[in-house]
């Protein structure tokens, strides 16, 4: 009898040109809570998706309870006793908890009132055994997020899972609900269940896990027992130790201040405070990097500075002009360029061709439209010049851009944004999902922008990237700036700890600006 | 592409076991491209075959029936003119719903907007009885567009400001429009000398569109074709057309490029309703020559089929509207051989069904299952 519930060996998975998992070994002992720790994009979700049958590995083997298994579909995964509590719950909002739990049950053709009553009783006892309490007969959408998660857990257990995967379970919970979840997990452990929890939150790992596996950039970095490690060590493992080497930024004197932000307060979705009174400045010829684990306010910062959402309080001065509820278009006109987080979701229109995609920001200009008629020939010539200049490889100007490779799509996006000669460019995760060559091209474009006098706000989860390119690094945690480090003073271990919210380091952030 | 979206995409993959008797499997490919008009053409053929089965069950030869329909619709100058007469309102309404569908606004309220257009045009004749003659037609057309457009706006405003699903409001407003029409023709606007016929008095000659040749065909057809040309031009050449294209292709990206999405939805719904309203005003001034009970035989709904059959291409709508118009006229002529005219409704329904299924299936490909996946 083996002691391992899950053994994955030599797992490789690629998506096109990107290697998501590179010969990953991952084993989980029976009856333990195993944390899979890593930043976004480290490959945690991919590994778990292979375990739950959503993806199939390119190569490698998976054993469940000592038997080599081929998991080809979510159904097969379920039959092996693997259940997943998804980050976005798979529940029908208009049905009650009971209905959601018995949904998909194949036994019992006749389902009268007595059958229903029996099921209700059965599930109530079942849920009580694990201390999972939630309203049984109320439509799901009335339930709080924590209660919905409990329904999801009971659903998974009821279907006979004994290996339960929690995918970023606390990302939607309040701290109190998270504590309750950990209690539940410990209760499940007492009942002999095996659990895997994927997360990037160190405190949770230390609270709940027995063993910890750390992934970074598609590779398995370490397996450790909880009692043998510390939060500091985990933070270092997560962000990596390979120091950025031999990368010299040409030194340039800072120019004038382009952007001054003071006491910026931004509410995110559901009215939660996303940015809590942050402040910083960006100068000409300066790349300001924002390091931090995703979901700590980076997205809201970019959206506020590009006019997509409005800030509740604070001062933003762009080129000596005080901004107040600016529209997206007015900020484009004032010279703010934007490389959004997800190029195909919000940066490009996949079904349209090169010309239409390049026109996004400039189609209002006189050169591109006259008397509100698009200057077709002129625009085509302009587009052609741009894609040659930026080395975008495409069959022709009209093929849909979704057919281009990720690198070429990103170059196209940069071509469009740089062509406006921006004063300030806000780039979010600009190299996410790109191969080495395309990453280098993107880095060179950012350095060139810096040389020509633009300010750059580089928001990235890739700490190496931030440290290589930035003149100044802001570490963001929980909507606040946890620390400001100059390029020379930047130390990877320290940044890692700041990112994990373990330390606060405040330096004078900006010279007191003349606001009025 | 972020990992999360790729996970979601992967879950829609349909997996069939390769162990079964059927040695093929379906594979979903969202990026697969099919030649744009293959799906509508194949769908139509499949629909014709499906309906042929019903005809055979009823003891008739489908070829005879279809032959009779083609002959009725296109076999004589009368048939052709009647077909074009039906095609005119279909074309305008399809153009209207089509422009909304382009930016993913699901306006199924063309029927109500059509009726409001008819009411608007008639209101001019009722409330302004003593105008100089030549003023009537332009005023009636404008009134039709405005009434239809405002009816469209009733759907757009809740949609943009309160996120009310436009499918429901536009559909419900159809019934409101229908009841408003009934009220008007049964009560205040009824012709006092009309022997209780639910309709307004007959229009004066100045209030009627001129006919073409000796047929019932009128200037409305020309207006419709002009509308298609103008719309095609606007879409392909202008800044506004570009904004619509962007909004249709990726609304998130459109917002990121500074396009005011709400403003566009309001405008598009006004145009969408306005075109259906224009069709309504042409119907009363060109064909019925009065507002009456049941002024629309469902043009607003049928136009949805016309628009999708043309894959929302305005120019192709000219042909699909004539095709569906022919189907309606052909439906009348099969009555002479003992089939109900609802034949054409059955065909319309079958075409739409096959079209939706075809669009979905065209994204799949059949692959021979291999031993090793």
């Amino acid at each position: 009898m083996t002691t391992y519930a899950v053994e994955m060996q030599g797992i490789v998975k690629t998506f096109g040109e990107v290697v998501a998992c590179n010969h990953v070994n991952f084993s989980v002992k029976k009856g333990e809570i195993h944390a899979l720790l890593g930043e976004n994009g480290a490959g945690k979700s991919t590994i778990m998706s292979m375990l739950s049958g959503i993806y199939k590995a390119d190569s490698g083997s998976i054993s469940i309870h000592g038997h080599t298994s081929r998991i080809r579909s979510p159904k097969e995964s379920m039959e092996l006793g693997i259940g997943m509590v998804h980050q976005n719950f798979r529940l029908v909002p208009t049905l009650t908890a009971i209905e959601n739990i018995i949904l998909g049950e194949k036994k019992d053709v006749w389902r009268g009132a007595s059958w229903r009553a029996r099921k209700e009783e059965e599930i109530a006892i079942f849920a009580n055994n694990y201390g999972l309490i939630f309203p049984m007969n109320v439509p799901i959408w009335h339930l709080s997020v924590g209660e919905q998660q409990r329904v999801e857990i009971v659903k998974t257990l009821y279907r006979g899972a004994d290996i339960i995967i929690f995918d970023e379970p606390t990302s939607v919970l309040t701290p109190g609900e998270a504590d309750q979840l950990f209690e539940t997990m410990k209760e499940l452990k007492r009942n002999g269940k095996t659990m895997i929890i994927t997360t990037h939150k160190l405190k949770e790992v230390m609270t709940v896990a027995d063993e910890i596996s750390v992934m970074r950039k598609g590779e398995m970095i370490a397996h450790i027992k909880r009692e043998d490690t510390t939060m500091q060590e985990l933070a270092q493992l997560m962000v990596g130790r390979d120091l950025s080497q031999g990368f010299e930024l040409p030194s340039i004197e800072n120019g004038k201040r382009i952007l001054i932000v003071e006491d910026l307060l931004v509410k995110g979705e559901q009215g939660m405070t996303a940015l809590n009174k942050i402040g910083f400045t960006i100068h000409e010829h300066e790349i300001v990097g924002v390091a931090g684990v995703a979901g700590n306010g980076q997205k809201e910062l970019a959206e506020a500075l590009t006019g997509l959402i409005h800030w509740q309080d604070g001062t933003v001065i762009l080129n000596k002009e005080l901004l107040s509820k600016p529209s997206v278009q007015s900020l484009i006109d004032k010279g703010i360029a934007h490389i959004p987080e997800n190029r195909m979701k919000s940066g490009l229109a996949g079904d349209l061709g090169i010309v239409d995609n390049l026109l996004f920001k400039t189609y209002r200009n006189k050169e591109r439209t006259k008397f509100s008629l698009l200057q077709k020939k002129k625009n085509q010539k302009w587009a052609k010049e741009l894609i040659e200049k930026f080395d975008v490889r495409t069959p022709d100007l009209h093929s849909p851009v979704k057919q281009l490779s990720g690198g070429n799509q990103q170059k196209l996006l940069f071509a469009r944004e740089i062509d406006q000669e921006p004063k300030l460019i806000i780039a979010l995760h600009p190299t996410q999902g790109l191969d080495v060559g395309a990453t280098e091209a993107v880095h060179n474009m950012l350095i060139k922008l810096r040389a020509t006098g633009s300010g750059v706000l580089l928001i990235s989860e890739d700490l190496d990237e931030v440290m290589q390119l930035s003149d100044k690094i802001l570490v963001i945690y929980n909507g606040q700036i946890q620390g400001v480090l100059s390029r020379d003073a930047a130390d990877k271990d320290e940044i890692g700890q700041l990112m994990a919210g373990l330390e606060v380091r405040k330096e004078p952030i900006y010279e007191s600006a003349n606001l009025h | 592409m972020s990992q999360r979206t790729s996970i979601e995409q992967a879950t829609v993959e349909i997996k069939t076991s390769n162990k079964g008797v059927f040695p093929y499997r379906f594979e979903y490919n969202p990026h697969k491209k099919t030649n744009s008009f293959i799906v509508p053409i194949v769908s139509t053929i499949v629909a014709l075959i499906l309906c042929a089965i019903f005809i055979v069950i009823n003891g008739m030869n489908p070829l005879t029936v279809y032959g009779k329909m083609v002959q009725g619709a296109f076999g004589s100058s009368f048939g052709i003119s009647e077909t074009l007469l039906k095609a005119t309102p279909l074309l305008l309404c399809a153009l209207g719903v089509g422009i909304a569908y382009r930016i993913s606004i699901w306006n199924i309220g063309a029927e109500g907007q059509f009726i409001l257009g008819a009411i608007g045009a008639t209101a001019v004749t009722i409330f302004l009885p003593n105008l100089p003659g030549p003023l009537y037609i332009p005023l009636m057309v404008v009134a039709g567009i405005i009434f239809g457009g405002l009816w469209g706006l009733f759907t757009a405003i809740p949609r943009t400001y309160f996120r009310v699903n436009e499918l429901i409001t536009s559909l419900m407003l159809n019934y409101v429009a229908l009841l408003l029409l009934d009220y008007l023709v049964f009560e205040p606007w009824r012709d006092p000398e009309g022997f209780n016929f639910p309709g307004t008095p007959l229009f004066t000659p100045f209030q009627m569109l001129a006919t073409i040749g000796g047929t019932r065909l009128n200037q409305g057809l020309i207006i419709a074709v002009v509308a298609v040309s103008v719309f095609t031009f606007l879409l392909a050449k202008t800044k506004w057309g570009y904004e619509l294209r962007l909004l249709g292709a990726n609304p998130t990206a459109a917002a990121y490029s500074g396009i005011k999405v709400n403003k566009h939805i309001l405008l598009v719904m006004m145009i969408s309703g306005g075109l259906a309203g224009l069709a309504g005003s042409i119907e009363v001034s060109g064909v019925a020559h009065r507002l009456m009970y049941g002024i629309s035989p469902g043009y607003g709904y049928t136009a949805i089929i016309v628009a999708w059959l043309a894959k929302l291409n305005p120019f192709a709508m000219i042909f699909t509207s004539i095709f569906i118009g022919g189907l309606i006229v052909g439906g009348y002529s099969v009555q002479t051989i003992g089939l109900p005219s609802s034949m054409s409704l059955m065909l319309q329904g079958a075409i739409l069904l096959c079209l939706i299924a075809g669009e979905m299936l065209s994204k799949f490909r059949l692959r021979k299952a291999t031993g090793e996946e």
Side-chain angles (χ1 to χ4, degrees):
Chain A
M1 202 57 191
T2 169
T3 52
Y4 286 107
V6 177
E7 276 182 284
M8 299 175 86
Q9 253 155 19
I11 301 288
V12 178
K13 177 76 189 172
T14 53
F15 294 102
E17 40 191 307
V18 182
V19 183
C21 291
N22 189 5
H23 295 281
V24 169
N25 297 333
F26 180 59
S27 308
V28 179
K29 284 199 200 86
K30 256 179 212 169
E32 71 171 4
I33 300 179
H34 195 114
L36 183 54
L37 183 68
E39 293 177 77
N40 280 15
K44 308 179 302 253
S45 297
T46 315
I47 285 282
M48 290 304 110
S49 298
M50 282 185 276
L51 204 50
S52 59
I54 295 170
Y55 291 148
K56 241 174 52 216
D58 297 343
S59 66
S61 70
I62 301 176
S63 307
I64 306 297
H65 295 305
H67 301 288
T68 308
S69 313
R70 282 175 63 187
I71 304 176
R72 283 174 305 201
S73 69
K75 203 178 133 207
E76 289 181 353
S77 166
M78 213 152 78
E79 281 161 6
L80 289 166
I82 300 169
M84 185 145 171
V85 176
H86 293 271
Q87 190 174 3
N88 308 309
F89 311 132
R90 306 288 205 267
L91 296 171
V92 185
T94 49
L95 297 182
T96 66
I98 293 284
E99 285 162 341
N100 265 290
I101 292 165
I102 59 182
L103 200 68
E105 189 167 301
K106 298 229 166 52
K107 294 177 289 183
D108 306 323
V109 180
W110 179 253
R111 299 183 170 193
S114 67
W115 178 84
R116 214 192 133 95
R118 204 167 63 236
K119 282 283 162 198
E120 261 176 50
E121 203 180 327
E122 195 182 309
I123 291 168
I125 293 169
F126 193 81
N128 267 328
N129 275 347
Y130 296 107
L132 289 161
I133 295 157
F134 51 84
M136 299 268 172
N137 285 312
V138 177
I140 287 293
W141 61 274
H142 282 303
L143 270 52
S144 75
V145 182
E147 288 170 333
Q148 290 186 20
Q149 192 175 52
R150 272 170 248 156
V151 177
E152 181 94 354
I153 295 170
V154 170
K155 189 176 89 179
T156 314
L157 291 169
Y158 189 73
R159 289 181 182 176
D162 65 345
I163 301 168
I164 304 163
I165 304 167
F166 291 87
D167 184 20
E168 307 262 352
T170 55
S171 60
V172 288
L173 300 181
T174 62
E177 285 174 329
D179 289 341
Q180 269 183 325
L181 171 71
F182 298 144
E183 284 311 308
T184 305
M185 289 179 75
K186 284 172 185 164
E187 180 63 36
L188 288 173
K189 187 181 152 192
R190 280 192 282 278
N191 281 281
K193 304 281 179 190
T194 308
M195 276 160 285
I196 304 170
I197 169 172
T198 73
T199 183
H200 53 240
K201 294 181 187 161
L202 298 167
K203 274 183 192 154
E204 292 173 4
V205 172
M206 295 309 280
T207 318
V208 78
D210 300 314
E211 286 215 20
I212 299 155
S213 294
V214 186
M215 280 190 84
R216 193 162 67 85
K217 290 184 181 169
E219 301 201 14
M220 191 58 80
I221 301 296
H223 297 280
I224 329 167
K225 279 194 183 344
R226 189 210 24 213
E227 52 264 33
D228 297 342
T229 187
T230 60
M231 267 202 246
Q232 279 81 350
E233 189 190 10
L234 289 176
Q236 281 164 13
L237 284 169
M238 207 162 102
V239 295
R241 278 187 171 283
D242 49 329
L243 285 168
S244 43
Q245 36 187 277
F247 201 94
E248 284 281 317
L249 263 189
S251 66
I252 305 180
E253 278 286 297
N254 275 353
K256 289 180 295 212
R257 281 195 304 247
I258 299 174
L259 183 78
I260 303 167
V261 175
E262 279 189 9
D263 295 329
L264 189 68
L265 182 76
V266 176
K267 292 246 156 77
E269 278 162 37
Q270 290 139 18
M272 307 243 274
T273 302
L275 290 175
N276 195 0
K277 305 226 164 210
I278 68 164
F280 58 91
T281 47
I282 301 176
H283 297 83
E284 286 174 346
H285 300 293
E286 187 181 40
I287 298 180
V288 175
V290 177
V293 177
N296 278 299
Q298 294 97 319
K299 184 167 154 259
E300 287 80 3
L301 177 61
E303 285 183 351
L305 292 180
T306 49
L308 287 159
I309 55 175
H310 292 310
W311 51 85
Q312 271 66 40
D313 197 12
T315 318
V316 179
I317 298 169
L318 179 70
N319 266 331
K320 294 177 183 158
E321 188 185 348
L322 186 67
L323 300 179
S324 152
K325 296 204 172 187
S327 70
V328 177
Q329 196 191 325
S330 74
L331 290 179
I332 293 171
D333 294 342
K334 287 180 172 62
I336 291 190
H338 184 198
I339 306 290
E341 186 169 12
N342 183 335
R343 51 188 168 272
M344 286 319 282
K345 194 173 154 237
S346 36
L348 298 168
D351 289 319
L352 300 183
I354 300 275
V355 184
D356 279 348
N357 270 293
L358 282 173
L359 279 171
F360 264 43
K361 304 262 170 111
T362 42
Y363 73 92
R364 301 180 186 88
N365 297 357
K366 276 201 181 115
E367 282 160 58
R368 308 272 82 91
T369 44
K370 255 188 199 141
F371 309 113
S372 105
L373 293 181
L374 291 169
Q375 302 292 294
K376 195 172 170 191
K377 273 195 187 142
K378 233 171 154 181
N379 293 349
Q380 280 186 359
K381 190 166 161 268
W382 163 76
K384 210 169 180 160
E385 284 168 9
L386 265 183
I387 62 170
E388 270 163 25
K389 191 171 151 199
F390 285 87
D391 191 29
V392 181
R393 308 227 176 108
T394 166
D396 59 67
L397 285 175
H398 303 288
S399 45
V401 299
K402 68 179 174 196
Q403 291 170 359
L404 302 183
S405 72
N408 279 314
Q409 286 170 356
Q410 196 71 331
K411 281 193 243 172
L412 183 71
L413 194 52
F414 266 93
R416 178 179 84 207
E417 300 297 327
I418 293 179
D419 181 57
Q420 304 171 62
E421 293 172 358
K423 299 211 168 54
L424 174 67
I425 185 162
I426 295 163
L428 266 90
H429 315 306
T431 56
Q432 202 170 56
L434 299 186
D435 59 20
V436 182
T439 302
E440 202 186 315
V442 166
H443 287 174
N444 286 335
M445 283 190 275
L446 289 173
I447 291 167
K448 209 167 162 190
L449 273 167
R450 172 182 180 266
T452 51
S454 301
V456 179
L457 185 68
L458 171 66
I459 300 174
S460 175
E461 278 172 64
D462 185 339
L463 195 50
D464 290 333
E465 179 171 274
V466 172
M467 290 181 69
Q468 276 176 15
L469 295 176
S470 309
D471 295 291
K472 183 166 81 186
I473 298 167
L474 312 174
V475 185
I476 194 166
Y477 172 76
N478 207 5
Q480 283 179 315
I481 290 185
Q482 196 80 359
V484 186
L485 297 98
S486 71
R487 181 181 176 76
D488 309 320
D491 168 65
K492 202 155 191 177
D493 295 345
E494 188 178 4
I495 294 179
Q497 295 189 28
L498 290 168
M499 274 167 73
L502 295 173
E503 188 188 314
V504 184
R505 175 176 159 157
K506 288 271 181 198
E507 277 179 6
I509 298 168
Y510 39 78
E511 313 87 272
S512 69
N514 252 336
L515 294 182
H516 302 290
Chain B
M1 198 190 326
S2 85
Q3 288 199 351
R4 193 135 299 282
T5 55
S6 52
I7 290 176
E8 271 152 19
Q9 253 176 27
T11 49
V12 292
E13 219 169 282
I14 289 188
K15 290 186 177 165
T16 49
S17 167
N18 57 356
K19 283 173 278 179
V21 198
F22 191 58
Y24 294 93
R25 60 194 164 100
F26 272 121
E27 222 177 60
Y28 181 64
N29 177 5
H31 298 309
K32 190 182 157 195
K33 274 182 63 173
T34 7
N35 192 341
S36 47
F37 286 105
I38 282 186
V39 173
I41 291 167
V42 172
S43 310
T44 309
I45 293 169
V46 172
L48 286 172
I49 295 170
L50 279 177
C51 291
I53 297 170
F54 276 94
I55 297 169
V56 170
I57 291 170
N58 276 289
M60 297 220 186
N61 182 350
L63 289 179
T64 326
V65 175
Y66 289 155
K68 191 86 189 165
M69 287 181 84
V70 173
Q71 207 197 351
F74 302 104
S76 64
S77 61
F78 173 75
I80 292 174
S81 71
E82 283 297 301
T83 296
L84 291 178
L85 194 69
K86 301 284 180 207
T88 306
L90 287 178
L91 179 55
L92 282 169
C93 291
L95 206 57
V97 292
I99 178 183
Y101 297 163
R102 271 173 179 273
I103 62 165
S104 302
I105 299 296
W106 307 113
N107 174 21
I108 51 172
E111 183 75 4
Q113 292 143 13
F114 177 95
I115 291 171
L116 258 288
I119 291 173
T122 310
V124 174
T125 69
I126 303 265
F127 294 113
L128 304 167
N130 297 316
L131 287 180
L135 275 180
Y136 272 112
I137 288 301
L139 266 181
M140 287 166 74
V141 165
V142 169
I145 294 174
I146 291 175
F147 272 56
L150 287 177
W151 208 247
L153 211 55
F154 283 172
T155 297
I157 289 172
R159 152 75 209 225
T160 44
Y161 296 111
F162 309 106
R163 293 197 192 174
V164 178
N165 188 328
E166 75 276 8
L167 267 172
I168 294 164
T169 46
S170 63
L171 179 65
M172 291 301 147
L173 281 169
N174 286 345
Y175 297 105
V176 177
L178 204 59
L179 291 171
L180 180 66
L181 170 73
D182 288 358
Y183 165 71
L184 289 173
V185 295
F186 277 102
E187 273 306 321
W189 289 4
R190 189 176 56 191
D191 183 4
E193 289 148 35
F195 305 104
N196 277 337
F197 174 73
T200 62
L202 205 62
F203 291 174
T204 64
F206 274 125
Q207 298 164 346
M208 300 180 187
L209 287 171
T211 52
I212 299 169
T215 63
R216 292 210 291 157
L217 214 53
N218 56 61
Q219 293 162 330
L221 180 67
I222 300 165
I223 297 178
V225 174
V226 169
V228 169
S229 318
V230 170
F231 184 62
T232 310
F233 172 80
L234 287 177
L235 207 61
K237 304 278 182 197
T238 65
K239 195 163 86 175
W240 180 67
Y242 173 75
E243 289 176 328
L244 281 194
R245 204 150 63 227
L246 200 55
L247 211 50
N250 187 345
T252 317
Y256 275 53
S257 73
I259 289 174
K260 294 197 175 66
V261 180
N262 281 353
K263 197 188 84 185
H264 274 87
I265 293 177
L266 293 174
L267 182 67
V268 161
M269 270 309 290
M270 254 165 72
I271 294 172
S272 182
L275 283 165
L278 175 63
S281 73
I282 288 172
E283 189 69 11
V284 284
S285 62
V287 184
H289 298 151
R290 55 151 57 103
L291 185 67
M292 58 185 192
Y293 179 71
I295 186 73
S296 167
Y299 287 136
Y301 296 115
T302 311
I304 298 170
I305 306 174
V306 173
W308 282 116
L309 210 50
K311 296 202 101 177
L312 306 184
N313 176 331
F315 198 68
M317 285 177 198
I318 295 179
F319 299 98
T320 56
S321 63
I322 292 172
F323 172 67
I324 299 286
L327 214 58
I328 298 173
V329 175
Y332 299 143
S333 60
V334 293
Q335 288 173 305
T336 58
I337 54 169
L339 276 174
S341 69
S342 49
M343 238 337 271
S344 78
L345 280 181
M346 180 170 95
L347 264 169
Q348 285 174 27
I351 290 173
L352 185 62
L353 206 64
C354 292
L355 199 61
I356 295 166
E359 282 293 338
M360 193 62 217
L361 287 177
S362 72
K363 295 228 187 312
F364 284 83
R365 61 179 173 178
L366 202 57
R367 270 182 77 179
K368 197 160 187 161
T370 48
E372 185 52 46
E373 268 185 86

